[in-house]
Amino acid sequence: MRLAGRFGGAALSLLMVAVLGFFLFRVVPGDPVVSMTRGRPTTAAMQAELRAQFGLDRPLLEQFWSYFTSLLQGDLGTSFTFRRPVSDVILERLGPTLLLVGTATLMAVLLGLWLGVRAAWRRDSVFDKVTTGVSLTLWAVPTFWLGMLLMMVTGDLFPSRGMRDTDTAPDFVSQALDVGHHLVLPSVTLVAVVCAEYALVMRSSLLEEMNAPYLTTARAKGLRDDLVRRRHAVPNAVLPAITLVFLRFGLVVAGAITTETVFSWPGLGLLFYDALTGPDYFLLQGLLVVTAGAVVVMNLLADLLHGVLDPRVKVV
């Protein structure tokens, strides 16, 4: 019953996001038809025909009902800008975003958890104070500002625009190396911010476990300090951090907008920014559903995984 309730809550959350997003984007300044015809000789009659073609001349509630019924059938509409189905446009840009977010998340998890464990086990040491101070600073820094700072400092070493160069050799190795070279700055930007949160959460969680009676018992049995840490303390302290990883993965997908915009990375984030300049209503709505869906699904997986890793939590 609880499991069904969680699935129902996730579906309801996604539905509310889709409904609110429709009306929210209708107050974005700008006229989609004017943006589509900017720089082209068009008459008022031609603009009216375009509005009728995209259904923009109908009453707002009628537009909403058409959008909502289409959404329930899996149809996200047609992009004003690309003149193609929104789902096709999003699928084209999904790969670069998953590459960036997946790489950054993996690096942030490994580095953040290691730093958190080391800092907690060496509480009040120089390493702990430096790690905590740097993590707090990075956590508070706006992502776009950090990205621009890295661009200014290391712009001569790594590409700061796009995903690949047009003059790269067509073979797989050359293309992969080129993409990896372009991936450095945007991934480091995301890693720095996300890693800081993982390190702070892991440190706090491990500090709570360090004075637990079972650790005292393990030491009394003669176990070395590193074995006590690896076999007993860390496995129990890592549960909140693992839950946070799943929660943050969905948020990182949504939060990649600023990073991709700063580095012109051709993913969903940059697509969202371009859609806002239109505004491209159907593309904005589709992107909101996809990013909100990523957050909702990851929240649900985190909830279920917590119940699997910790038997004290019931998921059904």
Side-chain angles (χ1 to χ4, degrees), residues 58 68 198:
R58 293 180 293 176
F68 185 71
Y198 293 158

Side-chain angles (χ1 to χ4, degrees), residues 111-277:
L111 182 59
L113 298 187
W114 180 80
L115 289 174
V117 170
R118 298 269 298 181
W121 210 254
R122 299 182 178 183
R123 185 177 184 179
D124 295 329
S125 66
V126 175
F127 182 87
D128 177 32
K129 293 177 181 178
V130 171
T131 300
T132 303
V134 172
S135 297
L136 288 171
T137 302
L138 290 175
W139 197 12
V141 168
T143 307
F144 72 91
W145 182 86
L146 180 60
M148 290 188 293
L149 180 63
L150 290 175
M151 189 186 302
M152 289 187 296
V153 174
T154 63
D156 296 333
L157 300 175
F158 302 100
S160 57
R161 289 288 185 271
M163 184 175 175
R164 56 171 58 91
D165 293 328
T166 56
D167 57 350
T168 304
D171 61 282
F172 175 78
V173 175
S174 299
Q175 291 288 333
L177 291 175
D178 185 39
V179 172
H181 197 207
H182 284 76
L183 184 63
V184 171
L185 288 183
S187 61
V188 168
T189 301
L190 284 179
V191 167
V193 177
V194 179
C195 170
E197 185 175 6
Y198 293 158
L200 292 172
V201 170
M202 188 65 205
R203 177 184 181 275
S204 176
S205 180
L206 186 55
L207 285 176
E208 293 181 1
E209 294 289 331
M210 285 176 61
N211 295 323
Y214 71 89
L215 294 184
T216 303
T217 302
R219 291 189 181 97
K221 291 181 178 180
L223 288 180
R224 298 195 311 272
D225 200 50
D226 62 329
L227 291 179
V228 172
R229 181 180 71 245
R230 286 190 286 111
R231 294 183 181 179
H232 298 280
V234 172
N236 287 287
V238 80
L239 292 178
I242 291 178
T243 304
L244 180 65
V245 169
F246 278 82
L247 293 175
R248 287 294 303 177
F249 186 82
L251 294 175
V252 170
V253 171
I257 295 175
T258 54
T259 304
E260 292 188 0
T261 302
V262 169
F263 294 102
S264 298
W265 187 262
L268 297 181
L270 183 60
L271 184 64
F272 199 102
Y273 174 80
D274 292 338
L276 277 173
T277 60

Side-chain angles (χ1 to χ4, degrees), residues 97-115:
T97 292
L98 291 179
L99 175 62
L100 173 60
V101 171
T103 302
T105 299
L106 178 61
M107 295 172 60
V109 169
L110 296 176
L111 182 59
L113 298 187
W114 180 80
L115 289 174

Side-chain angles (χ1 to χ4, degrees), residues 16-27 59-68 281-282 285 288:
M16 292 301 297
V17 168
V19 172
L20 294 176
F22 174 87
F23 294 101
L24 174 65
F25 291 131
R26 289 308 187 279
V27 301
L60 185 61
L61 290 180
E62 187 177 338
Q63 292 183 47
F64 169 73
W65 180 249
S66 176
Y67 158 72
F68 185 71
Y281 293 148
F282 289 118
Q285 291 162 186
L288 181 64

